[in-house]
Amino acid sequence: MSRGGSCPHLLWDVRKRSLGLEDPSRLRSRYLGRREFIQRLKLEATLNVHDGCVNTICWNETGEYILSGSDDTKLVISNPYSRKVLTTIRSGHRANIFSAKFLPCTNDKQIVSCSGDGVIFYTNVEQDAETNRQCQFTCHYGTTYEIMTVPNDPYTFLSCGEDGTVRWFDTRIKTSCTKEDCKDDILINCRRAATSVAICPPIPYYLAVGCSDSSVRIYDRRMLGTRATGNYAGRGTTGMVARFIPSHLNNKSCRVTSLCYSEDGQEILVSYSSDYIYLFDPKDDTARELKTPSAEERREEVNLLKAMFFYLLQKTLIH
């Protein structure tokens, strides 16, 4: 696009928004759906650092480095500006890494990651590989899809998985857990696969969870707890303050593949498997529809319990 195109002030307008000098809603209305906006994007660099599909990438807090995880079961910290690999970590994972994050305020030395076999690793890059392999959580059964850290909190992190649970771990209490059928750290039981999780940046006690039933639920963590903290509620609707879903997916099971809050917490961007990407208003409250479990939800809960039983039975027979 030429400099005299129809978006001559695009870069300045985006800069003003990042500085808090521009109303985000005005910027959205001005540029929403504009082809010129997308056409300004260009490839800056290619980092060939993995031998398999890359499933997760994230920046460190200062924007200097990128952490990535792959089907090759390695974690890599790269400098995207010099195109150099700083650290390659043999993670201990035996399945595809699906999510990895730097723990905040740890000088990028501590990482949490999860994989397709449900295992979570808590890795300190300054420790040897054998020590790091001991720091694992095997609490989820089935795939663990995502790890989420909390702003300015170097000790706690969340995870979500195919078993329908969102779990809250605190490394001050423990740095590993290999108990069978562990329920100590369950924060929410969604009773269907929990496939993505995000924390609201300006209000970090608000937690958005995407599920396999096409819905996104928002919870207030101040109303929740775990068995480890002594106040676990157990019901998937406890603490839920909002629920939203694309109208045409109301009676369908379409998995949420990813979701994230805008920086100001006023929007949630959600992608679906075999469907479109949607922008939601998190204040669009339809949670009242879920105050009592439906017959379908009760059937899903029974099926989940059956799956848990057969999974534990299989593990028992193998060992």
Side-chain angles (χ1 to χ4, degrees):
M1 188 181 74
S2 66
R3 291 187 180 181
S6 56
C7 294
H9 305 296
L10 171 61
L11 296 180
W12 173 237
D13 287 345
V14 171
R15 180 61 175 161
K16 284 196 296 183
R17 172 175 174 164
S18 69
L19 293 173
L21 303 176
E22 176 70 280
D23 182 358
S25 62
R26 291 182 60 190
L27 187 68
R28 286 195 296 272
S29 63
R30 196 176 302 149
Y31 295 111
L32 184 64
R34 297 293 290 270
R35 180 181 299 176
E36 296 94 333
F37 190 95
I38 303 301
Q39 287 178 335
R40 280 186 176 248
L41 299 175
K42 65 178 182 179
L43 178 65
E44 183 69 23
T46 301
L47 306 176
N48 297 311
V49 299
H50 287 285
D51 297 322
C53 178
V54 178
N55 304 308
T56 176
I57 54 173
C58 74
W59 294 92
N60 71 336
E61 289 182 290
T62 61
E64 296 176 88
Y65 309 122
I66 289 176
L67 171 66
S68 56
S70 166
D71 286 358
D72 62 12
T73 71
K74 295 177 183 176
L75 296 167
V76 176
I77 301 174
S78 309
N79 184 321
Y81 309 105
S82 66
R83 282 61 156 172
K84 292 182 178 179
V85 171
L86 302 178
T87 308
T88 299
I89 303 166
R90 295 188 177 276
S91 64
H93 286 291
R94 297 183 179 182
N96 306 356
I97 297 174
F98 283 155
S99 183
K101 299 288 193 304
F102 291 110
L103 277 171
C105 309
T106 63
N107 198 26
D108 306 327
K109 301 301 183 183
Q110 295 176 30
I111 296 168
V112 281
S113 57
C114 64
S115 55
D117 57 2
V119 178
I120 297 169
F121 273 94
Y122 168 56
T123 300
N124 187 324
V125 299
E126 295 181 327
Q127 292 181 340
D128 61 88
E130 183 56 37
T131 300
N132 283 326
R133 274 194 286 270
Q134 304 303 315
C135 299
Q136 60 175 290
F137 299 85
T138 59
C139 308
H140 283 283
Y141 61 91
T143 300
T144 303
Y145 289 109
E146 190 156 24
I147 292 287
M148 184 56 58
T149 58
V150 181
N152 302 314
D153 185 344
Y155 303 110
T156 69
F157 63 92
L158 298 112
S159 63
C160 66
E162 186 69 26
D163 58 8
T165 66
V166 176
R167 298 177 186 245
W168 181 275
F169 297 98
D170 190 329
T171 59
R172 291 167 297 189
I173 298 174
K174 57 184 176 182
T175 58
S176 67
C177 181
T178 56
K179 291 196 300 185
E180 290 285 336
D181 191 25
C182 180
K183 295 182 173 65
D184 293 349
D185 303 294
I186 295 176
L187 187 71
I188 305 165
N189 190 341
C190 298
R191 296 179 173 84
R192 70 268 299 151
T195 52
S196 190
V197 63
I199 285 179
C200 181
I203 314 173
Y205 49 78
Y206 279 149
L207 169 68
V209 182
C211 295
S212 60
D213 64 349
S214 311
S215 70
V216 174
R217 295 164 169 82
I218 299 178
Y219 294 88
D220 186 336
R221 290 194 291 112
R222 295 172 299 179
M223 302 169 65
L224 300 170
T226 65
R227 284 189 170 89
T229 59
N231 57 344
Y232 175 59
R235 294 182 63 234
T237 54
T238 300
M240 187 167 64
V241 296
R243 173 183 178 263
F244 43 90
I245 183 172
S247 57
H248 69 286
L249 296 178
N250 251 321
N251 298 313
K252 297 181 180 178
S253 292
C254 188
R255 283 180 175 245
V256 172
T257 54
S258 181
L259 60 83
C260 68
Y261 275 94
S262 61
E263 196 63 28
D264 60 7
Q266 299 300 307
E267 300 167 324
I268 298 181
L269 190 66
V270 185
S271 64
Y272 285 85
S273 175
S274 304
D275 202 78
Y276 297 102
I277 298 173
Y278 299 87
L279 197 61
F280 289 105
D281 178 355
K283 297 185 293 294
D284 181 16
D285 183 4
T286 57
R288 59 186 176 276
E289 299 173 9
L290 289 184
K291 292 306 181 187
T292 58
S294 65
E296 181 182 355
E297 287 177 320
R298 285 193 290 268
R299 283 195 298 272
E300 286 190 19
E301 185 172 359
V302 170
N303 291 335
L304 187 61
L305 290 172
K306 288 180 180 177
M308 182 190 301
F309 171 77
F310 285 116
Y311 171 80
L312 294 173
L313 178 62
Q314 185 181 35
K315 286 188 70 173
T316 301
L317 292 174
I318 291 174
H319 295 291

